[in-house]
């Protein structure tokens, strides 16, 4: 296929600059997004086993609810019944609760003894999984614009640029696509091998990337899209407002738990009930949010669907279950959510999205470095802007990973000294993140990459080491090695420790034996009247 050279240069320029502008934000979004595929498992792993009380039989739930409300006023306002074996059968918030993330939430959890007496334990609500999810959605950018988070809007803009980079990259590769698609040419230098790897990953994961790009744009700008519809609807509301009740309810009128289960199971074939959250029970607007999990089903939420109903009348106010009565609009919206979250293929789909997310992060990291090397070859040397961009690429990408690793590593130690670790997670992340950026700007991309990769290898290795220490030392009885998912986190951390160590060795070898004027060369900048045009070797 032949395309005029000037057109190819235009699309190459579009691909390059859109990728460079959006790349660092998208790297954080993709690698954190890969972790959020197992957000519930990460939160479970980070929560001490002692914070969860044993489950009870369904026939005992009514007695458990009655005893909890009789002993605790907060339980009368709302409570959560959990059906998962790794969670307490009932819980309520003594502090906080509701939608959003509050780092100081306080949970009271309850169960029954063998003599059917209420036992409770007070604990913090671990937010490690939620904070990683927020990092995925905002790239760690704080602040709000109106009622929307600034980071979400920034990632929405980055996703739009990312879509342009995808399309322009495909067009640019078309003339040589079939000839070079599977060619990983090691014999033509490291740059050619990186470029071939970048192109191969990009082409084969193109459908995945198109899905992610479009869904992120929709998620980020849905309010803007709805606002644009006002030009059509005018003052007429787009959605029928819910009727406001004037009836005040009392918890004495709550129905047996089994009656809700019967009602819900009748309309949720193929799902299992994970939890039921009762809220605002003594008000005019009580609510029951039923969390449903369906394997191999497109779910509206990342990990579940929901049915919202009045707990007293059992009238359904809203549900996210896909059905023929919901109409085309609901099916399209559910598809956007399900395709983004990857929940339609069960655990296999989650692992596939986990791998694809990491490969996506590789695309942005490798794209930046390829651009820097090409620019250096054109200009005959490294400039100040290239030096800064290389340092930012290494600092932002590796620093963000190090921040999450340090938070995960610190989790179990934090619980030994403090029952409220959520704020410390933020300190771990941002100190590591900005520390890595500062170090990269100070020492340069090559030295910083070697040292940060070594640090990442150590941090990942210490995660399973910490688990083994705290599981088997008699001094600490808080932690124990539990289920498959907990064990898999240790295995994945060990695997990544090995990968980071290998990467540090490769980077070290290239820094000493590779092209001396490369981004990866260990150099120190020397000022000249033209800026950073001459470089000399520096040792680690």
């Amino acid at each position: 296929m032949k395309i005029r050279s000037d057109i190819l240069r235009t699309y190459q320029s579009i691909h390059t600059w859109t990728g460079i502008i959006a790349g660092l934000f998208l790297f954080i979004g993709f690698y954190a997004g890969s972790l959020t595929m197992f957000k519930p498992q990460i939160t479970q792993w980070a929560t001490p086993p002692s914070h969860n009380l044993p489950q009870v039989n369904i026939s005992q739930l009514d007695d458990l609810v009655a005893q909890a409300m009789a002993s605790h006023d907060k339980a009368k306002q709302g409570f959560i019944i959990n059906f998962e074996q790794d969670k307490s059968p009932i819980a309520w918030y003594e502090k906080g609760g509701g939608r959003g993330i509050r780092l100081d939430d306080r949970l009271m959890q309850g169960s029954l003894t063998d003599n059917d007496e209420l036992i409770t334990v007070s604990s913090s609500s671990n937010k490690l999984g939620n904070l990683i999810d927020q990092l995925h959605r905002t790239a760690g950018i704080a602040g709000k614009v109106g009622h929307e988070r600034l980071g979400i809007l920034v990632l929405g803009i980055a996703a739009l640029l990312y879509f342009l980079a995808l399309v322009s990259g495909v067009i640019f590769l078309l003339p040589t696509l079939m000839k070079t698609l599977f060619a990983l040419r090691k014999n033509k230098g490291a740059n050619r091998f990186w470029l071939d790897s970048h192109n191969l990953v990009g082409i084969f994961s193109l459908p995945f990337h198109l899905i992610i790009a479009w869904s992120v744009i929709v998620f980020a700008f849905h309010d803007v899209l709805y606002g644009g519809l006002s030009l059509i609807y005018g003052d007429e509301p787009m959605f029928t407002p819910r009727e406001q009740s004037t009836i005040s309810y009392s918890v004495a009128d709550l129905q047996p738990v089994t009656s809700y289960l019967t009602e819900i199971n009748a309309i949720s074939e193929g799902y299992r009930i994970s939890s039921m959250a009762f809220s605002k029970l003594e008000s005019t607007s009580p609510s029951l949010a039923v969390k449903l999990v369906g394997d191999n089903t497109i779910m509206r939420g990342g990990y579940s669907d929901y049915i919202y109903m009045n707990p007293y009348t059992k009238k359904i106010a809203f549900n996210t279950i896909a059905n023929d009565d919901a109409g085309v609009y609901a099916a399209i919206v559910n598809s956007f959510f399900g395709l983004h979250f990857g929940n339609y293929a069960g655990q296999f789909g989650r692992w596939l999205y986990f791998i694809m997310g990491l490969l996506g992060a590789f695309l942005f990291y490798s794209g930046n470095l390829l651009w820097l090397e090409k620019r250096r070859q054109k200009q005959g040397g490294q400039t100040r802007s290239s030096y800064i961009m290389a340092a930012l690429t290494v600092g932002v990408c590796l620093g963000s990973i190090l921040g999450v690793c340090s938070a995960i590593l610190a989790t179990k130690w934090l619980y030994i000294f403090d029952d409220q670790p959520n704020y410390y997670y933020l300190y771990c992340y941002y100190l590591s993140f900005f520390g890595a950026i500062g170090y990269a700007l100070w020492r340069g991309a090559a030295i910083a990459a070697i040292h940060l990769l070594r640090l990442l290898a150590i941090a990942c290795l210490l995660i399973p080491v910490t688990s083994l220490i705290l599981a088997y030392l008699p001094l600490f009885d808080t932690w124990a090695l539990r289920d498959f998912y907990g064990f898999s986190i240790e295995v994945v951390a060990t695997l990544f420790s090995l990968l980071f160590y290998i990467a540090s060795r490769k980077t070290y070898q290239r820094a000493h034996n590779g092209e001396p004027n490369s981004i990866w060369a260990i150099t120190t900048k020397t000022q000249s009247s033209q800026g950073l045009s001459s470089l000399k070797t520096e040792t680690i």
Side-chain angles (χ1 to χ4, degrees), residues 21 50 319 343 358 366 421 528:
I21 294 170
S50 59
N319 78 81
N343 55 32
L358 294 178
S366 60
S528 68

Side-chain angles (χ1 to χ4, degrees), residues 69 75-79 249-255 281-282 312:
M69 290 194 295
K76 294 180 180 179
Q77 300 175 20
F79 56 87
Y249 296 92
S250 170
V251 292
D253 299 324
L254 279 178
Q255 302 182 37
L281 290 177
E282 295 190 318
Y312 296 100

Side-chain angles (χ1 to χ4, degrees), residues 347-359:
Q347 293 303 319
F348 171 78
R350 295 192 183 282
W351 281 107
L352 182 62
Y353 266 53
F354 173 77
I355 294 171
M356 297 289 280
L358 294 178
L359 290 175

Side-chain angles (χ1 to χ4, degrees), residues 114-168:
D114 293 337
N115 297 322
D116 290 337
E117 295 178 348
L118 178 68
I119 54 173
T120 60
V121 60
S122 177
S123 68
S124 61
S125 178
N126 188 281
K127 303 295 184 184
L128 180 58
N130 295 85
L131 290 173
I132 294 175
D133 188 28
Q134 282 296 306
L135 180 64
H136 159 60
R137 296 173 61 203
T138 67
I141 301 171
K144 286 190 173 184
V145 177
H147 66 275
E148 190 63 89
R149 293 185 180 276
L150 175 61
I152 292 177
L153 298 177
V154 170
L155 276 187
I157 296 171
L160 185 58
L161 296 174
Y162 161 45
F163 175 76
L164 295 176
L166 290 171
V167 174
S168 58

